[in-house]
Amino acid sequence: MAGTGSRRGRVRGAGSHLADAFLEMLVAERGAAANTLTAYAHDLNEFAEFIAPTGLDEADAGQIKAYLASLAARDLSPRTQARRLSALKQFHRFLLGEGHRADDPTQAVDAPRLGRPLPRDLSMEDVSRLLETARLATAIEDGPRRGKALRLLALVEVLYASGMRVSELVSLPLSVARANDRVLLVRGKGGKERLVPLTPAAFDAIQDWLPARALALSARRQESRWLFPGTDPEHHMTRQRLGQMLKDLAVEAGVDVTIVKPHALRHAFATHLLANGADLRSVQQMLGHSDISTTQIYTHVLNERMAQLVEQHHPLAVGGAPRSRRRRDS
């Protein structure tokens, strides 16, 4: 692709043409941003230098483990190590999917232990990494694995876009998607129904999942009334299964697995909306809370924003005393 190299630099060393093909795929199929390409190129270049003269496409699990050990020896944080491993995982899945390798050596490599940090919420950056990794998988996987990747992307996009409870998401009937509408009718606690709007990305993810869903069921000569069927299509996917899928995605994305839980995306939906100016009553309606006092657990975000406003704009905070008072006393 013309011009791509100038935006993100080229990967050097043996096997670099395959690394460049991987980066070109990110642009062509996923529309990856320039900073994303730069980060992948940097990680692949560093790994190529570490294993030289072995080519990038010839690395084995032992070399990858040695590379991670070298990162630890340089006192790079476990989170940084996990992100570097995530780049190598994506690259080797691309090699496997394109037939350049018959195996994926990163499958034998465990992600660095992230320890037990203080409890925290999913940040906007965390969610972006989860979504970006899920989208990338739909581009580099093929066959049944691509179908599973499309399913996971639809689940994560809808969870974050709607703030639905996990039980509400996995039990969505197929009919809600067939309506071809960017608003879903959700049945919540106590059988109460509410309308949940979808982002364009979440709507598109569902539409992309539908053909893959139909193909998977037809291959088994089965049918299901659920949007996300379980192993037994008579039943929908379980919340436990979704939780495990999210943990696996967190490992791939280099995000702390201790905070990546299905409910965490519902929590992130609410806190990120409030942080960007949404009003509490609207968030209450979208979450399906019958009492606004339940929604007020998220108001710590509003409190932080108000504290920032006071610090930035209150005359006592920015100048020590109101200007009019200072003039009168002088």
Side-chain angles (χ1 to χ4, degrees), residues 22 25-26 29-30 40 86 89-91 93-94 97-98 129-153 248-249 252-253:
F22 168 64
M25 180 275 295
L26 295 182
E29 299 189 22
R30 297 311 316 165
Y40 274 109
S86 175
K89 281 180 174 289
Q90 303 296 344
F91 174 59
R93 286 170 66 184
F94 166 78
E98 293 294 312
R129 290 188 65 84
L130 291 172
L131 287 170
E132 182 177 301
T133 302
R135 290 170 187 146
L136 180 59
T138 66
I140 64 180
E141 298 291 6
D142 199 6
R145 288 172 63 98
R146 183 170 188 271
K148 293 179 180 179
L150 288 168
R151 178 184 62 182
L152 178 58
L153 178 59
D248 293 341
L249 177 62
E252 292 285 333

Tab-separated table of all heavy atoms in Angstrom, residues 22 25-26 29-30 40 86 89-91 93-94 97-98 129-153 248-249 252-253:
chain	number	residue	atom	x	y	z
A	22	PHE	N	1.914	-7.889	7.466
A	22	PHE	CA	1.024	-7.853	8.638
A	22	PHE	C	0.543	-6.428	8.893
A	22	PHE	O	-0.651	-6.181	9.103
A	22	PHE	CB	1.784	-8.402	9.842
A	22	PHE	CG	1.119	-8.169	11.173
A	22	PHE	CD1	-0.104	-8.744	11.475
A	22	PHE	CD2	1.737	-7.368	12.131
A	22	PHE	CE1	-0.710	-8.526	12.712
A	22	PHE	CE2	1.138	-7.144	13.357
A	22	PHE	CZ	-0.077	-7.728	13.649
A	25	MET	N	-1.910	-5.330	6.326
A	25	MET	CA	-3.222	-5.908	6.592
A	25	MET	C	-3.978	-5.080	7.620
A	25	MET	O	-5.191	-4.870	7.498
A	25	MET	CB	-3.053	-7.348	7.083
A	25	MET	CG	-4.362	-8.076	7.411
A	25	MET	SD	-4.972	-7.755	9.073
A	25	MET	CE	-3.689	-8.477	10.071
A	26	LEU	N	-3.255	-4.596	8.638
A	26	LEU	CA	-3.909	-3.782	9.661
A	26	LEU	C	-4.523	-2.525	9.052
A	26	LEU	O	-5.596	-2.078	9.454
A	26	LEU	CB	-2.909	-3.388	10.748
A	26	LEU	CG	-2.313	-4.506	11.598
A	26	LEU	CD1	-1.376	-3.921	12.654
A	26	LEU	CD2	-3.396	-5.330	12.258
A	29	GLU	N	-7.486	-3.872	6.214
A	29	GLU	CA	-8.671	-4.561	6.706
A	29	GLU	C	-9.240	-3.959	7.984
A	29	GLU	O	-10.403	-4.149	8.286
A	29	GLU	CB	-8.361	-6.043	6.929
A	29	GLU	CG	-7.949	-6.763	5.642
A	29	GLU	CD	-7.869	-8.268	5.832
A	29	GLU	OE1	-8.493	-8.785	6.769
A	29	GLU	OE2	-7.174	-8.917	5.035
A	30	ARG	N	-8.410	-3.271	8.766
A	30	ARG	CA	-8.908	-2.735	10.026
A	30	ARG	C	-8.815	-1.221	10.112
A	30	ARG	O	-9.292	-0.623	11.066
A	30	ARG	CB	-8.129	-3.334	11.213
A	30	ARG	CG	-8.263	-4.827	11.390
A	30	ARG	CD	-9.674	-5.354	11.352
A	30	ARG	NE	-10.641	-4.580	12.092
A	30	ARG	CZ	-11.951	-4.706	11.955
A	30	ARG	NH1	-12.448	-5.551	11.074
A	30	ARG	NH2	-12.762	-3.980	12.664
A	40	TYR	N	3.236	-1.250	16.725
A	40	TYR	CA	3.481	-2.626	16.278
A	40	TYR	C	4.850	-2.732	15.608
A	40	TYR	O	5.598	-3.690	15.837
A	40	TYR	CB	2.386	-3.085	15.314
A	40	TYR	CG	1.171	-3.663	16.001
A	40	TYR	CD1	-0.044	-2.984	16.020
A	40	TYR	CD2	1.231	-4.909	16.631
A	40	TYR	CE1	-1.155	-3.517	16.650
A	40	TYR	CE2	0.125	-5.450	17.257
A	40	TYR	CZ	-1.073	-4.738	17.265
A	40	TYR	OH	-2.170	-5.286	17.894
A	86	SER	N	1.531	-9.331	23.384
A	86	SER	CA	0.297	-9.224	22.611
A	86	SER	C	0.604	-8.940	21.143
A	86	SER	O	-0.005	-9.524	20.237
A	86	SER	CB	-0.594	-8.118	23.177
A	86	SER	OG	-1.740	-7.920	22.376
A	89	LYS	N	1.816	-12.117	19.590
A	89	LYS	CA	0.703	-13.054	19.404
A	89	LYS	C	-0.095	-12.713	18.150
A	89	LYS	O	-0.425	-13.589	17.342
A	89	LYS	CB	-0.213	-13.032	20.636
A	89	LYS	CG	0.301	-13.824	21.833
A	89	LYS	CD	-0.686	-13.725	22.984
A	89	LYS	CE	-0.275	-14.622	24.150
A	89	LYS	NZ	-0.453	-16.040	23.826
A	90	GLN	N	-0.395	-11.429	17.971
A	90	GLN	CA	-1.174	-11.027	16.797
A	90	GLN	C	-0.411	-11.313	15.510
A	90	GLN	O	-0.981	-11.775	14.520
A	90	GLN	CB	-1.520	-9.534	16.892
A	90	GLN	CG	-2.283	-9.118	18.131
A	90	GLN	CD	-3.660	-9.746	18.221
A	90	GLN	OE1	-4.182	-10.269	17.248
A	90	GLN	NE2	-4.242	-9.710	19.399
A	91	PHE	N	0.892	-11.039	15.520
A	91	PHE	CA	1.713	-11.273	14.338
A	91	PHE	C	1.771	-12.760	13.998
A	91	PHE	O	1.623	-13.143	12.828
A	91	PHE	CB	3.127	-10.735	14.573
A	91	PHE	CG	4.104	-11.058	13.474
A	91	PHE	CD1	3.874	-10.645	12.170
A	91	PHE	CD2	5.262	-11.783	13.740
A	91	PHE	CE1	4.777	-10.939	11.148
A	91	PHE	CE2	6.165	-12.077	12.737
A	91	PHE	CZ	5.933	-11.665	11.432
A	93	ARG	N	-0.356	-15.107	14.849
A	93	ARG	CA	-1.667	-15.582	14.394
A	93	ARG	C	-1.877	-15.219	12.927
A	93	ARG	O	-2.501	-15.965	12.171
A	93	ARG	CB	-2.763	-14.971	15.266
A	93	ARG	CG	-2.836	-15.589	16.656
A	93	ARG	CD	-3.736	-14.832	17.591
A	93	ARG	NE	-5.138	-14.885	17.180
A	93	ARG	CZ	-6.106	-14.224	17.799
A	93	ARG	NH1	-5.814	-13.464	18.839
A	93	ARG	NH2	-7.346	-14.328	17.386
A	94	PHE	N	-1.364	-14.066	12.524
A	94	PHE	CA	-1.415	-13.679	11.117
A	94	PHE	C	-0.598	-14.660	10.271
A	94	PHE	O	-1.064	-15.119	9.212
A	94	PHE	CB	-0.874	-12.257	10.964
A	94	PHE	CG	-0.565	-11.858	9.545
A	94	PHE	CD1	-1.582	-11.493	8.668
A	94	PHE	CD2	0.746	-11.842	9.075
A	94	PHE	CE1	-1.298	-11.131	7.350
A	94	PHE	CE2	1.042	-11.472	7.771
A	94	PHE	CZ	0.011	-11.115	6.905
A	97	GLY	N	-2.516	-17.895	10.012
A	97	GLY	CA	-3.704	-17.765	9.172
A	97	GLY	C	-3.386	-17.642	7.698
A	97	GLY	O	-4.156	-18.115	6.849
A	98	GLU	N	-2.231	-17.042	7.375
A	98	GLU	CA	-1.847	-16.863	5.978
A	98	GLU	C	-1.026	-18.032	5.435
A	98	GLU	O	-0.606	-18.009	4.274
A	98	GLU	CB	-1.036	-15.568	5.827
A	98	GLU	CG	-1.827	-14.298	6.095
A	98	GLU	CD	-2.921	-14.085	5.064
A	98	GLU	OE1	-2.634	-14.206	3.859
A	98	GLU	OE2	-4.066	-13.827	5.474
A	129	ARG	N	-8.156	-0.905	23.917
A	129	ARG	CA	-7.255	-2.023	23.626
A	129	ARG	C	-8.026	-3.329	23.466
A	129	ARG	O	-7.721	-4.140	22.595
A	129	ARG	CB	-6.205	-2.163	24.731
A	129	ARG	CG	-5.176	-1.050	24.766
A	129	ARG	CD	-4.063	-1.364	25.752
A	129	ARG	NE	-3.308	-2.539	25.317
A	129	ARG	CZ	-2.317	-2.510	24.437
A	129	ARG	NH1	-1.963	-1.361	23.880
A	129	ARG	NH2	-1.677	-3.610	24.110
A	130	LEU	N	-9.042	-3.539	24.305
A	130	LEU	CA	-9.864	-4.744	24.181
A	130	LEU	C	-10.586	-4.773	22.833
A	130	LEU	O	-10.584	-5.795	22.134
A	130	LEU	CB	-10.894	-4.801	25.322
A	130	LEU	CG	-10.346	-5.039	26.729
A	130	LEU	CD1	-11.469	-4.880	27.760
A	130	LEU	CD2	-9.718	-6.425	26.847
A	131	LEU	N	-11.176	-3.646	22.472
A	131	LEU	CA	-11.914	-3.587	21.210
A	131	LEU	C	-10.977	-3.722	20.012
A	131	LEU	O	-11.295	-4.422	19.044
A	131	LEU	CB	-12.695	-2.279	21.125
A	131	LEU	CG	-13.925	-2.176	22.035
A	131	LEU	CD1	-14.472	-0.755	22.038
A	131	LEU	CD2	-15.010	-3.152	21.595
A	132	GLU	N	-9.829	-3.062	20.074
A	132	GLU	CA	-8.885	-3.129	18.961
A	132	GLU	C	-8.380	-4.556	18.760
A	132	GLU	O	-8.259	-5.035	17.625
A	132	GLU	CB	-7.716	-2.191	19.225
A	132	GLU	CG	-6.692	-2.148	18.096
A	132	GLU	CD	-5.590	-1.141	18.367
A	132	GLU	OE1	-5.910	0.044	18.533
A	132	GLU	OE2	-4.419	-1.565	18.400
A	133	THR	N	-8.097	-5.257	19.863
A	133	THR	CA	-7.625	-6.641	19.762
A	133	THR	C	-8.715	-7.546	19.220
A	133	THR	O	-8.450	-8.426	18.385
A	133	THR	CB	-7.169	-7.141	21.147
A	133	THR	OG1	-6.139	-6.274	21.637
A	133	THR	CG2	-6.631	-8.557	21.071
A	134	ALA	N	-9.957	-7.340	19.664
A	134	ALA	CA	-11.071	-8.148	19.164
A	134	ALA	C	-11.306	-7.897	17.676
A	134	ALA	O	-11.569	-8.829	16.903
A	134	ALA	CB	-12.336	-7.845	19.965
A	135	ARG	N	-11.187	-6.640	17.246
A	135	ARG	CA	-11.373	-6.324	15.824
A	135	ARG	C	-10.263	-6.935	14.975
A	135	ARG	O	-10.521	-7.443	13.881
A	135	ARG	CB	-11.399	-4.805	15.633
A	135	ARG	CG	-12.633	-4.126	16.193
A	135	ARG	CD	-12.492	-2.617	16.185
A	135	ARG	NE	-13.592	-1.958	16.874
A	135	ARG	CZ	-13.474	-0.842	17.561
A	135	ARG	NH1	-12.298	-0.228	17.638
A	135	ARG	NH2	-14.521	-0.297	18.168
A	136	LEU	N	-9.048	-6.877	15.485
A	136	LEU	CA	-7.925	-7.435	14.739
A	136	LEU	C	-8.114	-8.927	14.513
A	136	LEU	O	-7.811	-9.450	13.435
A	136	LEU	CB	-6.620	-7.164	15.489
A	136	LEU	CG	-5.344	-7.700	14.840
A	136	LEU	CD1	-5.156	-7.111	13.451
A	136	LEU	CD2	-4.131	-7.395	15.717
A	137	ALA	N	-8.632	-9.636	15.519
A	137	ALA	CA	-8.832	-11.079	15.389
A	137	ALA	C	-9.798	-11.405	14.255
A	137	ALA	O	-9.632	-12.408	13.556
A	137	ALA	CB	-9.344	-11.661	16.705
A	138	THR	N	-10.792	-10.560	14.032
A	138	THR	CA	-11.739	-10.831	12.939
A	138	THR	C	-11.075	-10.680	11.576
A	138	THR	O	-11.555	-11.235	10.584
A	138	THR	CB	-12.958	-9.881	13.007
A	138	THR	OG1	-12.541	-8.526	12.752
A	138	THR	CG2	-13.624	-9.955	14.362
A	139	ALA	N	-9.967	-9.924	11.537
A	139	ALA	CA	-9.279	-9.698	10.260
A	139	ALA	C	-8.267	-10.785	9.945
A	139	ALA	O	-8.015	-11.079	8.774
A	139	ALA	CB	-8.585	-8.339	10.273
A	140	ILE	N	-7.675	-11.389	10.985
A	140	ILE	CA	-6.586	-12.335	10.720
A	140	ILE	C	-6.999	-13.786	10.892
A	140	ILE	O	-6.252	-14.680	10.508
A	140	ILE	CB	-5.379	-12.034	11.627
A	140	ILE	CG1	-5.739	-12.251	13.091
A	140	ILE	CG2	-4.856	-10.628	11.401
A	140	ILE	CD1	-4.592	-11.976	14.047
A	141	GLU	N	-8.193	-14.051	11.452
A	141	GLU	CA	-8.649	-15.422	11.592
A	141	GLU	C	-9.418	-15.848	10.348
A	141	GLU	O	-9.860	-15.030	9.550
A	141	GLU	CB	-9.540	-15.579	12.834
A	141	GLU	CG	-8.831	-15.273	14.148
A	141	GLU	CD	-7.784	-16.305	14.506
A	141	GLU	OE1	-7.508	-17.215	13.691
A	141	GLU	OE2	-7.207	-16.206	15.608
A	142	ASP	N	-9.595	-17.162	10.208
A	142	ASP	CA	-10.315	-17.700	9.060
A	142	ASP	C	-11.164	-18.877	9.522
A	142	ASP	O	-10.901	-19.481	10.570
A	142	ASP	CB	-9.329	-18.143	7.979
A	142	ASP	CG	-9.992	-18.272	6.608
A	142	ASP	OD1	-11.183	-17.902	6.497
A	142	ASP	OD2	-9.340	-18.748	5.666
A	143	GLY	N	-12.181	-19.216	8.720
A	143	GLY	CA	-13.007	-20.374	9.013
A	143	GLY	C	-13.772	-20.230	10.322
A	143	GLY	O	-14.187	-19.121	10.704
A	144	PRO	N	-13.950	-21.333	11.049
A	144	PRO	CA	-14.699	-21.294	12.316
A	144	PRO	C	-14.104	-20.334	13.338
A	144	PRO	O	-14.829	-19.726	14.118
A	144	PRO	CB	-14.627	-22.749	12.807
A	144	PRO	CG	-14.417	-23.561	11.568
A	144	PRO	CD	-13.569	-22.720	10.679
A	145	ARG	N	-12.769	-20.192	13.332
A	145	ARG	CA	-12.132	-19.277	14.294
A	145	ARG	C	-12.545	-17.834	14.024
A	145	ARG	O	-12.681	-17.034	14.959
A	145	ARG	CB	-10.609	-19.415	14.233
A	145	ARG	CG	-10.100	-20.726	14.838
A	145	ARG	CD	-8.615	-20.898	14.563
A	145	ARG	NE	-7.825	-19.854	15.198
A	145	ARG	CZ	-7.198	-20.002	16.363
A	145	ARG	NH1	-7.282	-21.139	17.021
A	145	ARG	NH2	-6.475	-19.014	16.865
A	146	ARG	N	-12.739	-17.511	12.755
A	146	ARG	CA	-13.187	-16.149	12.444
A	146	ARG	C	-14.614	-15.944	12.943
A	146	ARG	O	-14.964	-14.874	13.436
A	146	ARG	CB	-13.110	-15.870	10.947
A	146	ARG	CG	-13.503	-14.430	10.600
A	146	ARG	CD	-13.201	-14.071	9.151
A	146	ARG	NE	-13.410	-12.650	8.934
A	146	ARG	CZ	-14.576	-12.113	8.574
A	146	ARG	NH1	-15.629	-12.905	8.383
A	146	ARG	NH2	-14.700	-10.807	8.403
A	147	GLY	N	-15.443	-16.984	12.828
A	147	GLY	CA	-16.806	-16.886	13.346
A	147	GLY	C	-16.814	-16.603	14.834
A	147	GLY	O	-17.576	-15.763	15.323
A	148	LYS	N	-15.935	-17.273	15.578
A	148	LYS	CA	-15.842	-17.035	17.010
A	148	LYS	C	-15.327	-15.631	17.303
A	148	LYS	O	-15.761	-14.983	18.268
A	148	LYS	CB	-14.942	-18.080	17.656
A	148	LYS	CG	-15.516	-19.498	17.624
A	148	LYS	CD	-14.568	-20.498	18.259
A	148	LYS	CE	-15.168	-21.898	18.223
A	148	LYS	NZ	-14.239	-22.909	18.813
A	149	ALA	N	-14.405	-15.155	16.459
A	149	ALA	CA	-13.884	-13.804	16.642
A	149	ALA	C	-14.975	-12.765	16.400
A	149	ALA	O	-15.070	-11.766	17.124
A	149	ALA	CB	-12.696	-13.564	15.707
A	150	LEU	N	-15.808	-12.986	15.385
A	150	LEU	CA	-16.914	-12.068	15.105
A	150	LEU	C	-17.920	-12.073	16.251
A	150	LEU	O	-18.473	-11.026	16.608
A	150	LEU	CB	-17.601	-12.464	13.795
A	150	LEU	CG	-16.807	-12.172	12.516
A	150	LEU	CD1	-17.445	-12.875	11.325
A	150	LEU	CD2	-16.723	-10.666	12.258
A	151	ARG	N	-18.159	-13.247	16.826
A	151	ARG	CA	-19.080	-13.340	17.960
A	151	ARG	C	-18.542	-12.549	19.153
A	151	ARG	O	-19.276	-11.778	19.790
A	151	ARG	CB	-19.288	-14.803	18.349
A	151	ARG	CG	-20.205	-14.998	19.556
A	151	ARG	CD	-20.282	-16.459	19.956
A	151	ARG	NE	-18.995	-16.989	20.367
A	151	ARG	CZ	-18.796	-18.259	20.731
A	151	ARG	NH1	-19.808	-19.114	20.735
A	151	ARG	NH2	-17.589	-18.667	21.094
A	152	LEU	N	-17.255	-12.724	19.456
A	152	LEU	CA	-16.667	-12.019	20.595
A	152	LEU	C	-16.703	-10.515	20.384
A	152	LEU	O	-17.016	-9.748	21.308
A	152	LEU	CB	-15.224	-12.490	20.815
A	152	LEU	CG	-14.463	-11.796	21.948
A	152	LEU	CD1	-15.190	-11.975	23.276
A	152	LEU	CD2	-13.040	-12.328	22.042
A	153	LEU	N	-16.387	-10.072	19.169
A	153	LEU	CA	-16.415	-8.636	18.891
A	153	LEU	C	-17.822	-8.081	19.096
A	153	LEU	O	-17.996	-7.008	19.694
A	153	LEU	CB	-15.949	-8.356	17.465
A	153	LEU	CG	-15.981	-6.884	17.036
A	153	LEU	CD1	-15.101	-6.028	17.950
A	153	LEU	CD2	-15.549	-6.733	15.582
A	248	ASP	N	-9.669	-14.194	28.345
A	248	ASP	CA	-8.740	-14.559	27.276
A	248	ASP	C	-8.410	-13.343	26.414
A	248	ASP	O	-7.257	-13.153	25.997
A	248	ASP	CB	-9.334	-15.673	26.410
A	248	ASP	CG	-9.471	-16.988	27.162
A	248	ASP	OD1	-8.803	-17.161	28.206
A	248	ASP	OD2	-10.253	-17.857	26.714
A	249	LEU	N	-9.429	-12.531	26.139
A	249	LEU	CA	-9.212	-11.321	25.340
A	249	LEU	C	-8.297	-10.344	26.077
A	249	LEU	O	-7.428	-9.712	25.467
A	249	LEU	CB	-10.556	-10.654	25.036
A	249	LEU	CG	-10.503	-9.330	24.266
A	249	LEU	CD1	-9.894	-9.531	22.883
A	249	LEU	CD2	-11.904	-8.718	24.152
A	252	GLU	N	-4.736	-11.346	25.600
A	252	GLU	CA	-4.289	-10.988	24.252
A	252	GLU	C	-4.013	-9.486	24.136
A	252	GLU	O	-3.073	-9.069	23.458
A	252	GLU	CB	-5.351	-11.386	23.225
A	252	GLU	CG	-5.541	-12.879	23.049
A	252	GLU	CD	-4.415	-13.500	22.248
A	252	GLU	OE1	-3.809	-12.802	21.428
A	252	GLU	OE2	-4.132	-14.696	22.457
A	253	ALA	N	-4.832	-8.689	24.806
A	253	ALA	CA	-4.730	-7.230	24.669
A	253	ALA	C	-3.728	-6.614	25.639
A	253	ALA	O	-3.419	-5.426	25.530
A	253	ALA	CB	-6.100	-6.591	24.883
